[in-house]
Amino acid sequence: MPLRKILVLDGVTAVCRFRDDGVLMEAQGILPQDQMERLAKFAQWYRRMVSGNTDVFSLFSQMRGWSPSQGWIVQGDMKTVCSVGNMVCMFESAQGSLNEILQALGEAAHE
C-alpha cells in the first residue's frame, strides 16, 4: 500500500516507512525531512522498547498472547503517533480514526 493511501486518511499529517535500524526509507506528509527522519528513529526506538517490555511481561505473567507486540500508540491532547511493524503515522487526534489508521498501517506493513 503506497504511503499516499494512508496520508489521505482524515487527520493524517505524516506517514513513514523505516528500516530495522531506524533509517527512513520513505515518507509522505507535511513534516520537513529532518522531522520525518526523527519520527522514524523515534518509532524504531519505541518499537524496541515496547517489544522488550511485552516480552518481559509475558515471561513473568505467564499469560499468552502478549508477545510479540503488534504495534503501539502514543496519544496526546492534539496529536497521536502510532506504529505497526516498520510503519509509523502521526495524525490529529480529533480528526483521525485510530481504528482506520491502524488497519491501513497493518496492511501496509505486511505488504
Side-chain angles (χ1 to χ4, degrees):
M1 172 183 287
L3 298 185
R4 289 185 191 271
K5 289 186 177 181
I6 298 170
L7 186 63
V8 299
L9 297 175
D10 289 341
V12 174
T13 55
V15 61
C16 305
R17 183 183 311 271
F18 56 93
R19 293 190 327 207
D20 287 339
D21 62 358
V23 172
L24 183 67
M25 292 173 63
E26 57 181 321
Q28 294 283 326
I30 63 170
L31 296 180
Q33 181 70 19
D34 66 317
Q35 289 183 18
M36 291 287 198
E37 291 170 0
R38 288 192 308 223
L39 178 62
K41 194 67 173 169
F42 166 77
Q44 180 264 348
W45 172 83
Y46 206 85
R47 179 179 69 178
R48 291 184 67 190
M49 184 188 69
V50 167
S51 292
N53 287 340
T54 55
D55 289 347
V56 170
F57 179 75
S58 181
L59 177 70
F60 287 116
S61 70
Q62 295 298 303
M63 295 170 58
R64 295 177 161 231
W66 288 101
S67 185
S69 58
Q70 298 299 306
W72 53 264
I73 303 163
V74 176
Q75 193 165 29
D77 287 342
M78 301 186 65
K79 295 199 184 286
T80 299
V81 178
C82 56
S83 180
V84 175
N86 66 340
M87 302 287 300
V88 63
C89 179
M90 178 184 292
F91 65 95
E92 301 292 332
S93 299
Q95 297 175 10
S97 165
L98 183 57
N99 289 336
E100 183 179 22
I101 291 168
L102 284 173
Q103 182 179 353
L105 282 175
E107 291 171 6
H110 293 100
E111 285 188 344

